[in-house]
Amino acid sequence: MGPGAPVQPVTFRAGCGREWSLPSAEADLAYTEQAFPECPTCEHRVEPDGGPPFCTLRPVGTAHPFAALAGLDLPE
């Protein structure tokens, strides 16, 4: 997309399965609000040093960034 081109809505999904549709050209987003009761114990929650906890929202249908590693056969 060139400068000034309208950004199309993208549906993002959190680890818990909740979805948000919003205009974005980003590959993923960080959900920092943590507003749902299960957020503090969610296995998808990331707690970085020096920053607020967040959940990564990925576009629906996008493979996990480490999905390609699942097929690796590493010698012992």
Side-chain angles (χ1 to χ4, degrees):
M1 274 193 267
V7 178
Q8 298 299 313
V10 177
T11 299
F12 289 90
R13 181 179 295 145
C16 65
R18 287 183 175 85
E19 295 182 355
W20 290 267
S21 186
L22 55 125
S24 177
E26 301 301 322
D28 57 21
L29 300 174
Y31 173 67
T32 58
E33 187 178 4
Q34 307 285 288
F36 304 104
E38 68 273 24
C39 286
T41 58
C42 180
E43 63 185 41
H44 298 275
R45 179 181 166 113
V46 178
E47 295 189 26
D49 291 337
F54 67 91
C55 180
T56 300
L57 305 179
R58 291 192 179 87
V60 171
T62 302
H64 188 281
F66 299 127
L69 299 177
L72 287 179
D73 184 17
L74 300 174
E76 292 186 32

